[in-house]
Amino acid sequence: MFNRATIAAILLALGFSQLAPAQEALLRQLNPRVASRPEVPSEKEIRSKRHEVSSRLDAAIRELNRIQETDPAAATTAPVSQEVDLLKQREAVLAQQQTAKSKKEQQAQRIEELQKQIEEIRSKGLPEQPPYSFILFDQIRNDSKLSKIRLEGIEAAVTAASETVSTARQAKDNKDSALRIAKEAVAANRTAEKVAELESAAKLAEIEAKLAEDTLNLRRLAHENEQLNKQVLELTIQLNEAKLNRIEGKVRFSDSDLQEIFVQIELKEEEIRQSKKSADSNLQYAEREWSAARRKVDQSDSPEAREELAARRVARNLRQQQLDVLNRRLERLTKSREVWHRRAKVFNAQATNEELTAWAAEARDNMANLTRERRVQEMGSNDVRKEITALETRLQSLNEQSAALRPWIEDQLELWRESLLTNDRNLASIDTTLQVHQDLLTDIEGDIQRWTFGERLSSAWTYVTNVWNYEILAIDDRPITVSKVVIGFLLLLLGLFAARVISRILGNRLLTRFGMNEGAVAALKSLTFYTLVVIFTLLALRFANVPLTVFTLVGGALAIGLGFGSQAIINNFISGLILIAERPIQVGDLVRLDDLIGNVTHIGARSTRIRTGDNLDIIVPNSKFLETNVLNFTLGDDKFRSHIKVGIAYGSPTRDATRLLIKAAEEHGKILAYPKPFVWFRDFGDNSLLFELHVWIKVRTLGERLRIESDLRYRVDQLFREAHIVIAFPQRDVHLDLAKPLDIRMISNEAEASSVASNLGDAA
């Protein structure tokens, strides 16, 4: 049986580099001493390693210098050159380990201090005596918010540091495997010529393995420091929360606190004013220098002159930017003074519900504007960084012929760096102002959360009232509010309903009593409706304070737009007005339009509705009645002539047929007695003698006409049958060629019949 130490030695000898994490875990299980050893060396061990590495580095450098003196060409490829590079890397890594170790100790001390402070705050309270200053309360609250925000970033950093530890451990295992292979190669070598080469390779592999181990220790230290940073932030949050719990309900926003804040604002304002004076002077100087450089370019267009002009242009733009940034910072400070006034009133419960609602909305708007401004400023900073990168690249690529351009490019580089600093200061000012507005909004929202139901209802009613009285726009110093627009719209709807009702009553009840026909009633009803619509529309606009002069420009624009894009609609609308005014067709008329025959049931503003004999409603554009020929059967009156055709067999008594046709017409009750019915003997047809019976009838619909004509045909057919007069039908004469005997055959099936028929056809 193998013991644990033997298994561990076998695994080390095999060197499974790809299974390093599992191998290390297994080794820790097999050998408890391996599992319990410290992962990171102590401060003393790090100093000892640095001393050892420094000694080896000095010896390697002396050896490299000796080789360079004897054979400079071989110095670059000599193994000692690689040794020097690796030892320098180890020295740098060990120095970083010392720094990380020192930082770790500082973080540990900071954790102990925070824990003591938390215990003291919880047991004794704050060293300040209540009532506590609002400035102290606001500072503690903001520190707590900032710590919570930073904690999210620290958690991501801890995860990233853990991943780098895993990567470094994998690299170390790979280097250890390479070292074992190199040692095995030295031990297995039997050739004297390769001893020095293999030993040198093993020496470099050893240094690389130790470098990988040092790097792993450094990554572990970094991971531990990130964890300590996270612990520090968590304790800081606990400390701030303990302070807030202690001072809760004991904070007072006094006038002295407000005056202290205003003093700080005034000091910043005075500092910015002094900076503005300096920036204004610098701008004037930059303008003069830029003008001089431009004149120099006009006189001598040399590369140096152009580069100088570019540098002067950058300087002038920078001074303008600095002056603009200072003005905006001063404006933000002025606004922040009012914000602090509001914070004092909110914290001391001196603000009304209406003020709280209005201030909250204004704070949100200001924050949105500041956020947009910050986004623009960040994009400007990115552009500046690109300019700096481009100039640095130009400096690196300058040759001896372009050396005269270097001073001006360096000036531009310094100016762009100064511009980046100005942008950073502006971003800091924006962030500070954003924080002030955010604090005001937080105070207001906290106050709103404590409202009673009555206060919330009152606030909601105030909001509705503000929306109701919100001014959309003003025309001729007359406001147009939401309330007037809504009421005007309701009046317009009510006016449309009233216009429809009034026109219907006028047409259906009043005008019909005066004996007016249906078409005239429909025309007057439509005119009344449109007139009332115009009147009610003008009244609604008047109530909403919308003057008619507004529609002068709008009307011109609409006229152009309607003339090009809506000419068909306008054409139909105007045609409808003409139809109503001239009345070439009226409601109830029987008309024929192309192949369409029916009664007019409605004449609208855009189209006319015609009902056919099949009870189908056809919508016809009004312009159609003015652009094409229209047959109106009932325009003058509802009397018109109809006729039916009949053909009788040759040899029939024509006079009797004429008498019977007139008799059929006279017997029908819908046929007018005057003008009298009459019959035309039209022609001698191919198969019959053609007669036409003409009668006069009064009808309003196509169905009535067709029914009368149908009745006449029934009666004519009956009378002709009684008189034995035959109504003719088509006749044909068949002539046979009897010059030879007829060929008669008996056909047995269809195929033979077809063949015979074909032969007969060919013979014919």
Side-chain angles (χ1 to χ4, degrees):
M1 297 293 292
F2 294 104
N3 56 22
R4 293 183 176 180
T6 305
I7 296 175
I10 293 173
L11 290 174
L12 286 173
L14 291 175
F16 293 140
S17 61
Q18 300 301 324
L19 302 175
Q23 178 182 346
E24 183 175 350
L26 180 59
L27 286 175
R28 292 185 181 184
Q29 292 180 1
L30 296 174
N31 193 347
R33 289 176 296 178
V34 175
S36 62
R37 69 175 175 83
E39 292 186 348
V40 180
S42 63
E43 180 71 22
K44 183 178 179 180
E45 291 174 342
I46 295 174
R47 286 198 301 269
S48 176
K49 285 184 178 181
R50 287 196 67 182
H51 179 72
E52 177 189 354
V53 170
S54 178
S55 299
R56 292 186 62 179
L57 179 60
D58 292 339
I61 291 175
R62 287 194 297 271
E63 178 66 18
L64 181 62
N65 292 335
R66 186 187 64 79
I67 295 175
Q68 287 178 343
E69 291 175 358
T70 58
D71 189 2
T76 57
T77 59
V80 69
S81 176
Q82 301 180 27
E83 182 180 353
V84 169
D85 293 338
L86 291 173
L87 290 173
K88 286 181 179 180
Q89 294 180 34
R90 278 201 70 192
E91 188 178 37
V93 170
L94 290 172
Q96 294 179 42
Q97 283 187 17
Q98 279 188 314
T99 303
K101 197 73 174 179
S102 176
K103 183 179 179 181
K104 180 180 178 181
E105 294 175 356
Q106 294 175 2
Q107 292 290 76
Q109 294 176 1
R110 177 60 179 162
I111 289 173
E112 293 179 0
E113 293 175 359
L114 289 172
Q115 290 175 344
K116 291 180 181 179
Q117 291 179 8
I118 292 173
E119 292 176 359
E120 290 179 359
I121 293 297
R122 290 176 177 173
S123 59
K124 300 178 182 180
L126 273 68
E128 295 86 355
Q129 297 298 321
Y132 300 102
S133 168
F134 179 81
I135 298 176
L136 175 64
F137 168 74
D138 195 52
Q139 181 181 359
I140 295 173
R141 188 172 59 177
N142 288 335
D143 288 345
S144 179
K145 292 179 182 178
L146 182 60
S147 298
K148 291 178 181 178
I149 294 173
R150 292 178 57 194
L151 183 60
E152 298 177 359
I154 288 294
E155 290 175 348
V158 170
T159 303
S162 176
E163 294 175 354
T164 57
V165 170
S166 299
T167 304
R169 184 182 293 112
Q170 182 68 39
K172 177 183 177 302
D173 293 337
N174 293 337
K175 296 300 181 181
D176 289 343
S177 176
L179 176 60
R180 288 190 293 270
I181 294 173
K183 288 181 178 179
E184 185 179 358
V186 172
N189 180 49
R190 297 293 184 269
T191 306
E193 293 81 4
K194 293 186 177 181
V195 171
E197 180 182 353
L198 293 176
E199 288 180 349
S200 178
K203 185 178 181 181
L204 292 176
E206 180 185 4
I207 298 175
E208 289 180 347
K210 291 182 178 180
L211 175 61
E213 182 181 1
D214 294 336
T215 304
L216 175 60
N217 291 331
L218 177 62
R219 298 293 178 261
R220 287 169 175 167
L221 275 173
H223 183 240
E224 292 175 0
N225 283 335
E226 294 296 345
Q227 290 178 325
L228 291 175
N229 286 338
K230 179 181 178 182
Q231 190 174 355
V232 167
L233 280 177
E234 291 174 345
L235 290 173
T236 303
I237 294 172
Q238 294 179 16
L239 177 61
N240 289 327
E241 290 178 351
K243 290 180 179 180
L244 291 175
N245 292 333
R246 275 289 183 177
I247 68 178
E248 186 177 4
K250 303 176 184 178
V251 181
R252 185 169 62 90
F253 202 153
S254 61
D255 292 339
S256 60
D257 292 338
L258 193 60
Q259 291 302 320
E260 182 178 350
I261 293 170
F262 287 164
V263 168
Q264 297 297 325
I265 293 176
E266 289 175 359
L267 290 175
K268 292 180 181 179
E269 288 177 342
E270 183 61 27
E271 179 184 353
I272 292 176
R273 291 190 187 97
Q274 295 299 327
S275 300
K276 281 183 60 179
K277 293 180 181 179
S278 176
D280 189 39
S281 176
N282 292 336
L283 177 60
Q284 295 177 5
Y285 174 78
E287 290 281 358
R288 291 194 298 269
E289 292 294 324
W290 175 76
S291 299
R294 188 172 61 178
R295 288 193 297 270
K296 188 181 297 185
V297 170
D298 294 339
Q299 295 172 1
S300 173
D301 191 11
S302 62
E304 293 82 0
R306 290 196 300 271
E307 202 65 47
E308 180 184 0
L309 179 61
R312 299 306 183 188
R313 185 184 299 109
V314 173
R316 185 190 63 169
N317 294 338
L318 171 62
R319 304 313 172 194
Q320 291 175 342
Q321 175 200 8
Q322 289 176 340
L323 193 60
D324 180 57
V325 167
L326 290 172
N327 287 327
R328 283 184 284 175
R329 289 176 59 188
L330 190 62
E331 180 184 1
R332 295 190 199 105
L333 284 174
T334 304
K335 290 182 178 180
S336 64
R337 190 190 302 271
E338 177 62 25
V339 174
W340 280 106
H341 265 299
R342 294 177 178 180
R343 291 194 67 186
K345 293 185 69 175
V346 171
F347 191 84
N348 295 325
Q350 297 174 352
T352 63
N353 294 345
E354 292 79 6
E355 288 177 333
L356 291 176
T357 305
W359 292 348
E362 187 175 345
R364 293 188 185 94
D365 293 339
N366 291 331
M367 291 174 62
N369 294 332
L370 287 169
T371 302
R372 284 193 292 269
E373 186 178 357
R374 193 184 196 287
R375 200 157 46 239
V376 172
Q377 190 66 72
E378 287 178 343
M379 290 189 292
S381 297
N382 292 334
D383 294 338
V384 172
R385 291 187 182 93
K386 293 178 182 178
E387 291 289 344
I388 292 174
T389 303
L391 289 172
E392 289 175 346
T393 305
R394 285 190 64 191
L395 280 176
Q396 295 175 0
S397 62
L398 285 179
N399 50 29
E400 295 180 359
Q401 290 78 11
S402 305
L405 304 178
R406 179 176 293 275
W408 298 114
I409 297 177
E410 290 177 347
D411 285 349
Q412 294 181 56
L413 188 59
E414 291 301 321
L415 289 169
W416 281 116
R417 288 171 178 166
E418 187 177 353
S419 175
L420 186 61
L421 181 61
T422 301
N423 289 343
D424 292 340
R425 290 173 180 171
N426 191 35
L427 284 173
S429 172
I430 293 174
D431 291 338
T432 303
T433 310
L434 263 173
Q435 185 62 47
V436 174
H437 286 288
Q438 179 62 54
D439 292 339
L440 172 61
L441 187 60
T442 302
D443 295 339
I444 292 174
E445 290 175 349
D447 194 297
I448 291 176
Q449 290 178 356
R450 295 188 293 271
W451 280 0
T452 62
F453 177 76
E455 289 176 331
R456 293 181 183 277
L457 187 62
S458 176
S459 175
W461 178 252
T462 302
Y463 177 78
V464 172
T465 303
N466 292 336
V467 173
W468 184 252
N469 296 322
Y470 178 76
E471 181 179 328
I472 302 175
L473 63 129
I475 301 176
D476 297 336
D477 292 333
R478 290 185 295 181
I480 299 178
T481 61
V482 173
S483 60
K484 292 180 179 179
V485 171
V486 172
I487 295 177
F489 182 71
L490 293 177
L491 286 177
L492 180 60
L493 293 179
L494 182 61
L496 293 175
F497 176 75
R500 192 175 300 278
V501 172
I502 293 173
S503 62
R504 185 180 294 116
I505 293 175
L506 179 65
N508 297 340
R509 297 185 181 181
L510 297 180
L511 296 178
T512 54
R513 296 184 179 180
F514 295 100
M516 300 180 66
N517 59 31
E518 186 179 359
V521 169
L524 289 176
K525 186 167 67 172
S526 298
L527 291 174
T528 303
F529 172 76
Y530 292 128
T531 302
L532 291 175
V533 166
V534 172
I535 293 174
F536 284 121
T537 301
L538 294 176
L539 290 176
L541 293 175
R542 175 60 181 167
F543 180 83
N545 280 343
V546 178
L548 296 180
T549 54
V550 174
F551 296 96
T552 304
L553 180 60
V554 178
L558 285 176
I560 297 174
L562 293 174
F564 287 100
S566 305
Q567 47 187 329
I569 298 176
I570 298 300
N571 184 20
N572 290 322
F573 180 76
I574 296 176
S575 299
L577 296 180
I578 294 174
L579 291 177
I580 293 174
E582 292 187 358
R583 297 168 61 193
I585 60 171
Q586 304 177 40
V587 174
D589 284 353
L590 179 62
V591 297
R592 177 175 180 177
L593 183 65
D594 295 335
D595 296 331
L596 175 65
I597 299 178
N599 291 95
V600 177
T601 58
H602 175 73
I603 301 176
R606 189 194 65 85
S607 61
T608 297
R609 189 162 59 244
I610 297 177
R611 181 167 298 168
T612 66
D614 297 331
N615 201 31
L616 300 177
D617 287 327
I618 308 298
I619 308 301
V620 182
N622 288 332
S623 59
K624 189 72 172 178
F625 292 95
L626 301 180
E627 295 172 354
T628 59
N629 296 328
V630 180
L631 177 59
N632 191 340
F633 294 98
T634 57
L635 176 61
D637 53 23
D638 54 0
K639 182 175 64 176
F640 68 94
R641 189 173 68 180
S642 179
H643 66 276
I644 62 172
K645 297 179 180 180
V646 62
I648 62 176
Y650 277 90
S652 300
T654 55
R655 293 296 181 180
D656 292 343
T658 301
R659 179 178 56 80
L660 292 176
L661 288 173
I662 294 177
K663 178 181 179 182
E666 292 175 346
E667 290 178 352
H668 198 288
K670 294 290 186 178
I671 303 299
L672 297 180
Y674 185 83
K676 293 181 178 181
F678 61 92
V679 176
W680 293 112
F681 186 178
R682 293 298 302 270
D683 202 356
F684 295 95
D686 293 337
N687 305 299
S688 62
L689 304 174
L690 301 179
F691 289 83
E692 283 186 3
L693 172 62
H694 291 260
V695 296
W696 289 88
I697 58 177
K698 272 191 174 184
V699 294
R700 299 295 298 178
T701 64
L702 179 61
E704 293 181 48
R705 173 188 173 183
L706 295 177
R707 186 166 55 252
I708 293 173
E709 292 177 351
S710 178
D711 293 341
L712 286 176
R713 291 188 181 94
Y714 278 122
R715 184 56 177 162
V716 168
D717 181 69
Q718 180 183 1
L719 293 176
F720 279 13
R721 288 178 184 273
E722 292 175 355
H724 303 289
I725 297 176
V726 178
I727 297 177
F729 53 85
Q731 299 177 5
R732 294 291 183 269
D733 291 336
V734 179
H735 299 275
L736 298 178
D737 186 4
L738 299 179
K740 60 182 180 178
L742 294 177
D743 187 9
I744 300 175
R745 298 181 183 181
M746 301 298 292
I747 305 301
S748 60
N749 51 45
E750 294 182 358
E752 293 181 0
S754 300
S755 176
V756 172
S758 177
N759 293 333
L760 291 175
D762 295 338

